[in-house]
């Protein structure tokens, strides 16, 4: 990553407010976090022994990528995500629209 790109990413993070993402910069930051945390999240989720009927609560669900990943393992259970950032909730809704419409989330 070039210095210019690092500076751009830092500016997005600052404007997006990691503690409570807001606005377009918050959406960009959430998208980047969803992508950059994917490998660590996949590793963590690989240690779960899924049955498919779990009830999952993701507190601080951010952009909803983890809910989406867990959803692939849940067949008859239900997933719920909560976040105090309206931007995070909106992004999570967009990420998981199909599962929300199906009543799975």
């Amino acid at each position: 990553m070039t210095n210019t790109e690092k500076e751009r990413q830092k500016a997005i993070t600052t404007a997006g407010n990691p503690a409570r993402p807001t606005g377009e910069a918050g959406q960009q930051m959430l998208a980047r976090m969803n992508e950059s945390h994917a490998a660590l999240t996949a590793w963590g989720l690989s240690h779960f022994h899924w049955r498919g009927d779990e009830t999952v609560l993701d507190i601080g669900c951010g952009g909803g990528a983890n809910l989406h990943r867990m959803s692939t393992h849940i067949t008859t259970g239900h997933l719920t995500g909560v976040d105090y950032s309206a931007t995070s909730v909106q992004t999570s809704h967009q990420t998981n629209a199909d599962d929300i419409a199906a009543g799975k989330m």
Side-chain angles (χ1 to χ4, degrees):
M1 184 181 300
T2 67
N3 283 339
T4 303
E5 180 60 19
K6 287 179 186 177
E7 290 172 13
R8 187 179 82 74
Q9 293 298 330
K10 184 177 180 181
I12 289 171
T13 298
T14 300
N17 185 10
R20 190 174 199 154
T22 55
E24 184 178 330
Q27 289 175 332
Q28 290 174 348
M29 184 192 60
L30 288 166
R32 191 185 72 235
M33 288 174 68
N34 283 345
E35 182 181 324
S36 67
H37 297 170
L40 180 60
T41 300
W43 173 82
L45 292 176
S46 75
H47 295 284
F48 282 70
H49 300 284
W50 300 100
R51 296 183 317 266
D53 64 346
E54 290 86 357
T55 299
V56 175
L57 174 60
D58 184 355
I59 300 171
C61 66
N66 289 338
L67 286 166
H68 186 73
R69 289 180 187 105
M70 289 185 281
S71 175
T72 64
H73 302 283
I74 304 298
T75 53
T76 60
H78 190 267
L79 301 101
T80 301
V82 296
D83 203 295
Y84 72 138
S85 161
T87 299
S88 292
V89 171
Q90 177 186 9
T91 302
S92 187
H93 271 250
Q94 292 168 347
T95 302
N96 297 291
D98 291 341
D99 284 335
I100 292 168
K104 182 177 178 179
M105 189 177 301

